Amino acid sequence: MSPLNVDPTPFGDPTHRAAERLRCASRVTVVTGAGVSAASGVPTFRGEDGLWCNFRVEELATAEAFARDPRLVWEWYEWRRNTIAACAPNRAHEVVAQWSHRYPKFTLITQNVDGLHERADTANVVRFHGSIWELSCWERCAASPTRWRDETVPFPALPPRCLDCGGLARPGVVWFGEAIDADVLERSFATLDCDVCLVVGTSGVVYPAAGLADEARRRGAFAIEINPEPTEATQRFDLAIPGKAEVVLDELERMLAAK
Ligand code: OAD
């Protein structure tokens, strides 16, 4: 440090280094998790506000839990839908949306089911874990579409019903133990041939999403993580920026705009 306590080599700063990479990139893939929506007021799954009525996400987001007690599982989703309906996209969503319209090749792969990236007008979104605003028939009845949109908050009665057969409806999200849609996987993996893969606000413990950056890196991408806490994946990145998504992405965008 200089006597003025100013770092004389700003390019050693991880945010500056990330900005340099992003400046030269034309193919950018961003992977997001719940931390991106934290500043909007959407509770994350793990960490301090991760519990709902003393249940962990792994105890509610499974087909077994739904089969056992569909009402309980729907009460949790109803609570999340109510919370999300009152939330607005934050600066992190805005910056990602701007980039999605600026880079020649840009894809956002989001694990978030809240729809806030879409509400911020992000182009080219792959919803890795589905959408909380979609439902599907639990019985997979032949009459109903695979998924249908329903933004009713709150539902007049729980659990909601299939539009066609009247049986139980389930949230249109991917639960633990369920496979990611083949088309979603294919679209996601096709975008991992990129210059920069930026992973923002995810604990990196849920696979296959947690392996996307590893694969991008294997294919030659420069992989960057943004998270205020170290994660299980931090060591596997080329660069880790310790900080909040809404702050770091704003800084990056200002650096990119400055040149
Ligand atoms: P988690 O709740 O596991 O992790 C959230 C991460 O966000 C943590 O690593 C926090 O440190 C970080 N974080 C908190 N505030 C942040 C901020 N302001 N900026 C940036 N990061 C912040 O959420 P996910 O990793 O998204 O699946 O969870 C993965 C999947 O597990 C979810 O998609 C969900 C759940 O089962 C489905 O809903 C299908």
Side-chain angles (χ1 to χ4, degrees):
M1 285 288 175
S2 73
L4 292 173
N5 208 26
V6 174
D7 184 349
T9 55
F11 291 100
D13 166 74
T15 313
H16 279 92
R17 287 181 59 205
E20 279 311 297
R21 290 285 176 166
L22 284 163
R23 213 188 297 284
C24 304
S26 61
R27 301 168 305 164
V28 173
T29 297
V30 175
V31 179
T32 60
V36 164
S37 296
S40 296
V42 182
T44 57
F45 295 98
R46 298 168 185 83
E48 276 173 21
D49 54 0
L51 287 182
W52 176 79
C53 295
N54 285 326
F55 290 103
R56 288 181 299 115
V57 57
E58 291 84 355
E59 295 174 282
L60 294 165
T62 68
E64 292 74 24
F66 191 80
R68 201 166 42 240
D69 194 343
R71 196 186 158 84
L72 173 75
V73 172
W74 262 117
E75 280 172 358
W76 179 56
Y77 279 104
E78 175 95 312
W79 172 74
R80 286 193 76 88
R81 283 166 62 105
N82 267 298
T83 307
I84 294 163
C87 294
N90 66 60
R91 184 66 187 141
H93 297 105
E94 283 171 14
V95 171
V96 171
Q98 285 170 10
W99 293 355
S100 77
H101 295 285
R102 188 183 306 154
Y103 282 102
K105 278 193 96 178
F106 180 96
T107 307
L108 169 69
I109 304 172
T110 186
Q111 297 170 83
N112 298 346
V113 298
D114 56 30
L116 291 180
H117 281 297
E118 289 91 333
R119 279 175 55 194
D121 191 28
T122 310
N124 238 354
V125 181
V126 179
R127 279 193 249 127
F128 208 73
H129 288 163
S131 169
I132 202 166
W133 303 113
E134 290 182 355
L135 274 58
S136 67
C137 178
W138 169 245
E139 309 290 345
R140 298 192 189 149
C141 79
S144 69
T146 321
R147 283 184 181 175
W148 66 92
R149 202 156 178 87
D150 190 330
E151 298 184 11
T152 314
V153 206
F155 284 113
L158 285 185
R161 298 276 158 184
C162 172
L163 299 176
D164 290 290
C165 72
L168 285 175
R170 59 162 284 177
V173 304
V174 180
W175 281 333
F176 289 100
E178 292 183 328
I180 306 291
D181 187 81
D183 178 55
V184 166
L185 267 188
E186 196 183 317
R187 282 174 65 207
S188 301
F189 274 80
T191 73
L192 300 179
D193 288 306
C194 53
D195 303 314
V196 174
C197 179
L198 192 67
V199 176
V200 194
T202 174
S203 54
V205 294
V206 176
Y207 282 83
L212 293 171
D214 297 316
E215 176 60 17
R217 204 164 169 239
R218 202 184 60 76
R219 297 186 194 182
F222 188 79
I224 305 170
E225 180 186 60
I226 300 175
N227 199 308
E229 308 287 337
T231 70
E232 289 190 15
T234 301
Q235 295 300 324
R236 308 202 301 269
F237 283 86
D238 295 300
L239 188 65
I241 309 179
K244 295 185 171 185
E246 63 279 13
V247 176
V248 177
L249 288 174
D250 179 58
E251 269 173 22
L252 282 172
E253 175 55 9
R254 279 192 284 114
M255 286 175 190
L256 293 173
K259 196 164 176 185

